[in-house]
Amino acid sequence: MRYHNITKDDMLNGDGLRVVLWVAGCDHCCKGCQNPLTWDPDGGLPFDEAAKQEIFDQLDKSYISGITFSGGDPLHNANRLGVRALIGEIKEKYPDKTIWVYTGSKWEDIWHYPIMKNVDVVVDGEYVQELRDTKLLWKGSSNQRVIDVQATLKQTDPLKPVLHCNNYE
Ligand code: SF4
């Protein structure tokens, strides 16, 4: 896995104050994407122990609510295993912190990934320029959904996502 940035005290990509890992690699090619630099899976820097420690140092702070994975696409083939391993480690070390994942894929195509057992919230779907709305919280276009993953997986039909209470249409 490679990454471009680790941002701190972020208030825009999930609940509370968060640390955000911006990974490299995305093949959704959304028109109007704000981060086309992150599309190349070979771009950025290798995610190494120092980068992991930088994240842990943030999660050690009581006022940090959790971590958000964005990019790029954390569920791109180049990232999925690395992100899954890191999420597993974080859940074990910081069970009270929340884990959010942004992806250009739709929930219906990813709900069965093993990674989901440790994810609290997924913001799904490609960015659609025609549906852009700057008033939306945590998402760029109105087709995207802020999904409560654990509530959804408990449903008899996990294909029907339970939306986070702050998902605004
Ligand atoms: S999924 Fe996100 S990073 Fe990928 S092209 Fe679309 S907006 Fe850009």
Side-chain angles (χ1 to χ4, degrees):
M1 172 167 71
R2 300 178 69 85
Y3 77 109
H4 283 273
N5 204 357
I6 294 168
T7 50
K8 293 150 192 167
D9 298 345
D10 182 293
M11 295 192 301
L12 300 175
N13 296 281
D15 223 353
L17 283 177
R18 314 186 67 78
V19 55
V20 183
L21 175 63
W22 304 87
V23 299
C26 181
D27 52 19
H28 290 281
C29 305
C30 308
K31 191 171 73 169
C33 169
Q34 306 233 318
N35 299 317
L37 256 179
T38 65
W39 292 0
D40 180 0
D42 296 322
L45 304 162
F47 186 81
D48 57 11
E49 284 302 315
K52 194 197 284 187
Q53 192 54 51
E54 198 176 329
I55 288 173
F56 288 176
D57 288 347
Q58 291 305 304
L59 293 172
D60 281 336
K61 298 176 182 171
S62 57
Y63 66 84
I64 294 294
S65 305
I67 179 165
T68 297
F69 293 82
S70 191
D73 192 333
L75 301 184
H76 182 280
N77 281 343
N79 299 321
R80 207 179 309 151
L81 286 183
V83 168
R84 180 175 152 193
L86 181 57
I87 285 179
E89 213 172 327
I90 291 171
K91 263 291 160 190
E92 214 173 297
K93 206 166 150 67
Y94 303 97
D96 298 332
K97 307 280 179 174
T98 57
I99 296 186
W100 286 49
V101 173
Y102 279 74
T103 177
S105 296
K106 290 187 80 170
W107 172 254
E108 290 74 5
D109 299 322
I110 57 171
W111 69 273
H112 57 284
Y113 287 180
I115 196 173
M116 292 305 164
K117 82 173 191 336
N118 284 325
V119 174
D120 296 288
V121 173
V122 159
V123 183
D124 85 327
E126 295 184 346
Y127 170 67
V128 178
Q129 207 166 25
E130 294 72 23
L131 299 177
R132 175 173 188 257
D133 184 345
T134 51
K135 293 189 296 300
L136 295 169
L137 190 60
W138 301 325
K139 54 187 190 176
S141 56
S142 58
N143 60 299
Q144 295 169 320
R145 297 169 294 183
V146 183
I147 298 168
D148 182 331
V149 173
Q150 296 312 311
T152 301
L153 293 179
K154 282 192 197 111
Q155 302 251 98
T156 2
D157 183 2
L159 285 171
K160 289 195 180 130
V162 176
L163 299 182
H164 187 281
C165 55
N166 282 330
N167 177 83
Y168 300 117
E169 301 292 335

